Amino acid sequence: MLLREVEYAKPASVAEALALLREHDGARALAGGQTLINVMKARAASPDVLVDLNGLDELKGIELGPDGTLTIGAMATYTDIVGSAESRARPILCEVCSTIADVQVRNRGTIGGNLCSNDPTNHLPPLMCAVGAEMTIASESGERSVTARDFFLGVYLTAVGPGELLTKVTIPAGKHDGFAAITLGVDGTCIANAAATVNGSVRVALGCVDAVPVVVEPASAADEAVREAVRGADLDPPSDVHASSEYRIHLAEVLAVRAVRQAAERS
Ligand SMILES: Cc1cc2nc3c(=O)[nH]c(=O)nc-3n(C[C@H](O)[C@H](O)[C@H](O)COP(=O)(O)OP(=O)(O)OC[C@H]3O[C@@H](n4cnc5c(N)ncnc54)[C@H](O)[C@@H]3O)c2cc1C
């Protein structure tokens, strides 16, 4: 289906992008367009103005601090992340980004777009919750920082409000992470997924089982402790054409155990 007519702006700075978003009620940021253009074609979104962030080099950097903290610009693509020497400081990031969809989507899709769309089947929201990422959100009145656990508010809904932009994602140092997913086909959409980190304590974020990632903190990395923590979350995922609610609950347990085992093996 063809796109409805839409105004287009390509700002030269983040400040200009924020001004455009404030000036136009119906404006929407355009990152890789891998979700937004499709939902516009389906008429599920009809922005009046697209504010294209692709010219903003200030949103594309990937930096590694002396303490191992990674700072990733919202406009870094999955391909940028996979190819970056800095990103390898937290290897799970490259591993997961290299499994998202196909090469075309990975070349265009961005970490910021993935998080801001907050599709419950996306790979990155649970991963960011597990690794304890912080999101920097900018508006014309300044910047604020939001933890991943507070960032995701509902299906397609995040802490980024009107007139705001996600500018960067900050990820603390750590290597003991795991990720497991059951997808439709080799590189298809997730039916269920789980991200885990075992850095002293154990944290698991479950995807595709609720509107936002469900975070559980098992008492230990032992399989039974992980299963018990997932059961304690009283999951009530939706049923759809790909999986019943009961099957997703079963997968959540199995994938949580796999993700934690992978993380623990790296300890
Ligand atoms: C065939 C196909 C298969 C896919 N499979 C998967 C998959 O298996 N797993 C997965 O995780 N994803 C998958 N995706 C989605 C893909 O990862 C998208 O790239 C991603 O969800 C959106 O990123 P984007 O950069 O394309 O954002 P866009 O589509 O440009 O934007 C998405 C939304 O985020 C907003 N936005 C973007 N950047 C910002 C910002 N910096 N600040 C504020 N708001 C912003 C936009 O306004 C829009 O509402 C798939 C996509 C396709 C087309």
Side-chain angles (χ1 to χ4, degrees):
M1 192 188 281
L2 293 176
L3 287 180
R4 191 176 70 89
E5 203 165 293
V6 60
E7 295 291 320
Y8 172 86
K10 193 161 186 185
S13 67
V14 170
E16 195 188 327
L18 290 169
L20 284 161
L21 289 168
R22 178 187 46 79
E23 280 162 24
H24 302 277
D25 276 349
R28 198 85 171 256
L30 174 68
Q34 298 302 296
T35 294
L36 183 55
I37 299 299
N38 287 332
V39 296
M40 287 171 67
K41 284 182 176 169
R43 301 289 190 268
S46 268
D48 298 320
V49 185
L50 286 179
V51 179
D52 187 350
L53 307 180
N54 282 279
L56 303 180
D57 288 344
E58 52 191 309
L59 296 183
K60 293 182 182 167
I62 302 178
E63 287 165 20
L64 181 62
D67 62 351
T69 300
L70 256 182
T71 306
I72 304 183
M75 285 299 290
T77 64
Y78 311 125
T79 298
D80 292 337
I81 293 169
V82 172
S84 139
E86 288 78 11
S87 295
R88 282 184 216 128
R90 195 102 201 202
I92 197 74
L93 274 181
C94 305
E95 290 165 23
V96 173
C97 285
S98 69
T99 66
I100 294 177
D102 52 38
V103 70
Q104 287 164 293
V105 173
R106 292 196 291 273
N107 283 344
R108 298 291 309 171
T110 64
I111 185 170
N114 193 300
L115 300 175
C116 290
S117 51
N118 192 30
D119 182 324
T121 67
N122 274 0
H123 285 66
L124 297 187
L127 183 60
M128 293 302 117
C129 290
V131 299
E134 293 234 336
M135 322 301 184
T136 301
I137 298 172
S139 70
E140 280 191 304
S141 49
E143 280 188 349
R144 62 196 171 96
S145 183
V146 178
T147 63
R149 287 176 76 165
D150 291 333
F151 183 82
F152 304 106
L153 301 181
V155 178
Y156 310 133
L157 193 64
T158 70
V160 180
E164 293 187 320
L165 280 176
L166 172 66
T167 54
K168 61 187 177 195
V169 179
T170 306
I171 299 169
K175 290 192 189 306
H176 313 309
D177 309 309
F179 189 90
I182 295 290
T183 58
L184 297 171
V186 179
D187 49 17
T189 306
C190 296
I191 296 173
N193 63 35
T197 188
V198 179
N199 292 304
S201 56
V202 184
R203 190 187 308 130
V204 183
L206 306 164
C208 314
V209 290
D210 207 335
V212 299
V214 174
V215 178
V216 297
E217 294 182 333
S220 78
D223 291 359
E224 198 42 46
V226 176
R227 287 181 182 281
E228 203 178 303
V230 175
R231 280 184 219 127
D234 286 330
L235 300 176
D236 185 18
S239 294
D240 62 21
V241 66
H242 303 304
S244 66
S245 178
E246 294 71 26
Y247 184 49
R248 279 204 166 87
I249 291 171
H250 169 72
L251 287 181
E253 247 184 68
V254 171
L255 295 173
V257 168
R258 283 186 197 166
V260 171
R261 279 188 194 163
Q262 187 189 353
E265 277 163 17
R266 293 176 168 177
S267 296

